[in-house]
Amino acid sequence: MTQSDSIAYDVVVIGAGPVGENVADRTRAAGLSTAIVESELVGGECSYWACMPSKALLRPVLARADARRLPGLADSVQGPLDTAAVLARRDGFTSHWKDDGQVQWVEGIGADLHRGLGRLAGPRTVEVTAPDGTRRVLTARHAVAVCTGSAAALPDLPGLADVRPWTSREATSAESAPGRLIVVGGGVVAVEMATAWQALGSRVTLLVRGEAGLLARMEPFAGELVAEGLTEAGVDVRTGTSVRSVTREDGTVVAVTDTGDRIEADEILFATGRVPRTTDIGLETVGLEPGSWLSVDDSLRVDGHDWLYAVGDVNHRALLTHQGKYQARVAGAAIAARASGVPIPESDPWGAHAATADHAAVPQVVFTDPEAASVGLSLAEAEQAGHRVRAVDVDLATVAGASLYGDHYKGRARMVVDLEDEIIRGVTFVGPGVGEMIHSATVAVVGQVPLSRLWHAVPSYPTVSEVWLRLLEAYRDN
């Protein structure tokens, strides 16, 4: 195919997950012609194998846990979950792994969808290989956005492929609960899937390498409280444990640990990190290394390439769907501005063309029992960044709203205060239901709201959010 056979657009987006969709939405809103290339399902990882199915699995688990904390209701929910009904609801949230609705949305914004594998074929050029093997070349007048996301990383264990291990995809799309499940990892996917499948009938063993414990990137107490909750739910949590070998014998998975323990299960899930989906997208044609994370500036433009953008997981800034969508809005605005010749000021870190929150205010919720939610910097991160800070801690159980939420409520809150400016650098909540509270903390961190002004943000009584008053009082009194 020659260049004359190509189709020209203002913008070409590789990857039609939530990130690619949002880039296309913003560039189309700016009047730029846009093509989206997708090799799998339109809607991407989040819609079919991550956020949506995992939270559909977890919601009944957490609702039952909350109900069991309430006298008058607890006796009615002591039985097992209806696993088949939970899985059927999960299937509904994934649209039964069909993307008709998402395709209709793409068509509705006026973007062109090209099915197939998209690969860079030089500057501003993308070659699409369709499922039937035919090829088409797309050229971009202004920008190409790589939004191909990430994939599960698997350890280098001999014979692992023969074991047919689960990754996050299999864990969120399984058709039934395995009788016994080994989960390897201590991050978000590991603890959420351990929570879900233990409640859905599996006997779960959680193996966590090293001594850092669970959720090592959050405040230490978050992992400690989540580990306690998992143990109380029946999960066998083993920290400081690595898998030395794994085999499948007559259908049974056998994992041998570095301590010599032999653990048998029906399935094994490796939740041990992510790798970028950049191995086969033609990076070598534009001087970049295949399989690498793509380094970008705050407008999401790839270093050294004024036409190439990398948005979402693929740039390794913040591997979260909501953060990727935020980056997509920023990238779309930057592409539109540059296409129209509007200069982008470098001195406006919180402007429309800078993904500053990637550095200062990334929110995250871990949907376990208890939930863990955080935004901004942990105490250790703030100190490592050179800020003069103090951590203020409050036992959430002392807040009236928490005791009303459920008997025997366990939780903790931490506010990391910058002592120079008396603003908040980070907040962490751990406890049942705290996921719905984290946006208030996000607003405070992003807005750099002075503590003196937060005194006038009066929390409603009796709600769990009254912890904000307790945190401010603790800071004042110490």
Side-chain angles (χ1 to χ4, degrees):
M1 179 175 287
T2 65
Q3 194 70 19
S4 61
D5 297 318
S6 65
I7 306 173
Y9 293 92
D10 292 322
V11 180
V12 177
V13 179
I14 307 176
V19 175
E21 288 178 327
N22 273 269
V23 172
D25 187 41
R26 292 298 83 212
T27 57
R28 284 297 301 129
L32 300 176
S33 63
T34 302
I36 305 181
V37 182
E38 177 55 53
S39 61
E40 292 188 290
L41 295 175
V42 176
E45 198 82 8
C46 176
S47 299
Y48 306 105
W49 302 287
C51 313
M52 296 306 291
S54 66
K55 303 316 171 278
L57 292 174
L58 286 159
R59 179 60 195 141
V61 179
L62 302 185
R64 183 180 66 169
D66 283 343
R68 286 179 170 177
R69 296 184 178 97
L70 296 172
L73 182 57
D75 290 343
S76 302
V77 291
Q78 289 305 315
L81 291 168
D82 184 339
T83 300
V86 173
L87 296 179
R89 185 171 185 263
R90 182 272 317 269
D91 293 351
F93 273 97
T94 63
S95 302
H96 300 273
W97 290 274
K98 296 179 181 178
D99 62 3
D100 298 14
Q102 300 265 15
V103 170
Q104 185 177 8
W105 181 88
V106 170
E107 294 171 345
I109 66 169
D112 288 350
L113 174 63
H114 295 267
R115 296 273 195 182
L117 177 64
R119 299 184 79 256
L120 291 166
R124 294 184 172 84
T125 305
V126 176
E127 183 178 86
V128 182
T129 303
D132 64 4
T134 60
R135 297 187 178 186
R136 174 173 293 171
V137 171
L138 313 178
T139 60
R141 299 182 187 92
H142 298 293
V144 173
V146 175
C147 307
T148 49
S150 64
L154 288 171
D156 185 17
L157 290 174
L160 183 60
D162 296 331
V163 177
R164 303 182 304 280
W166 278 11
T167 67
S168 53
R169 284 198 169 196
E170 290 78 18
T172 56
S173 62
E175 296 181 358
S176 62
R180 301 161 298 172
L181 174 65
I182 298 170
V183 179
V184 183
V188 177
V189 172
V191 297
E192 288 190 345
M193 290 298 94
T195 298
W197 289 112
Q198 177 73 29
L200 291 170
S202 301
R203 190 163 73 251
V204 177
T205 302
L206 180 62
L207 306 180
V208 186
R209 183 178 62 182
E211 301 299 333
L214 306 182
L215 303 176
R217 295 186 178 183
M218 300 181 82
E219 297 284 8
F221 64 83
E224 293 166 5
L225 287 170
V226 169
E228 182 180 321
L230 286 168
T231 301
E232 290 176 355
V235 175
D236 181 2
V237 180
R238 306 186 191 185
T239 57
T241 303
S242 297
V243 176
R244 188 175 64 195
S245 68
V246 59
T247 57
R248 189 180 286 271
E249 303 171 6
D250 297 324
T252 297
V253 174
V254 178
V256 179
T257 70
D258 54 353
T259 58
D261 290 338
R262 175 187 169 97
I263 307 169
E264 295 186 353
D266 299 286
E267 302 291 351
I268 185 168
L269 162 63
F270 282 93
T272 49
R274 309 288 294 180
V275 293
R277 291 181 181 271
T278 60
T279 301
D280 190 28
I281 63 167
L283 292 184
E284 67 279 2
T285 68
V286 294
L288 297 169
E289 182 181 352
S292 65
W293 301 101
L294 297 177
S295 179
V296 298
D297 62 20
D298 275 357
S299 72
L300 292 312
R301 189 165 56 175
V302 175
D303 295 345
H305 296 73
D306 63 3
W307 55 273
L308 184 63
Y309 294 72
V311 194
D313 281 13
V314 76
N315 60 40
H316 208 233
R317 287 164 67 104
L319 278 65
L320 296 159
T321 295
H322 50 270
Q323 211 67 22
K325 292 165 71 173
Y326 158 73
Q327 291 178 14
R329 296 190 291 271
V330 170
I335 291 168
R338 289 176 174 133
S340 62
V342 175
I344 295 178
E346 296 183 3
S347 58
D348 188 10
W350 291 105
H353 310 107
T356 305
D358 285 351
H359 311 297
V362 175
Q364 181 172 23
V365 178
V366 185
F367 292 84
T368 46
D369 180 35
E371 292 178 350
S374 66
V375 64
L377 304 179
S378 67
L379 175 61
E381 289 170 338
E383 290 175 339
Q384 289 168 4
H387 301 296
R388 192 167 69 88
V389 294
R390 177 156 66 91
V392 181
D393 291 349
V394 167
D395 181 353
L396 266 173
T398 63
V399 178
S403 59
L404 285 167
Y405 188 96
D407 289 358
H408 311 296
Y409 190 104
K410 293 180 182 178
R412 185 172 171 184
R414 169 169 287 181
M415 177 175 70
V416 178
V417 179
D418 187 310
L419 298 175
E420 299 291 340
D421 301 319
E422 288 207 320
I423 59 174
I424 299 173
R425 292 290 179 185
V427 176
T428 300
F429 299 131
V430 182
V434 299
E436 294 297 338
M437 294 174 54
I438 198 62
H439 194 59
S440 60
T442 303
V443 172
V445 172
V446 170
Q448 299 181 337
V449 183
L451 266 61
S452 60
R453 178 60 62 88
L454 281 177
W455 274 107
H456 301 281
V458 182
S460 297
Y461 181 86
T463 64
V464 185
S465 61
E466 197 179 17
V467 69
W468 279 107
L469 179 56
R470 302 284 88 85
L471 286 166
L472 292 170
E473 290 171 338
Y475 177 76
R476 177 197 62 190
D477 296 339
N478 290 286

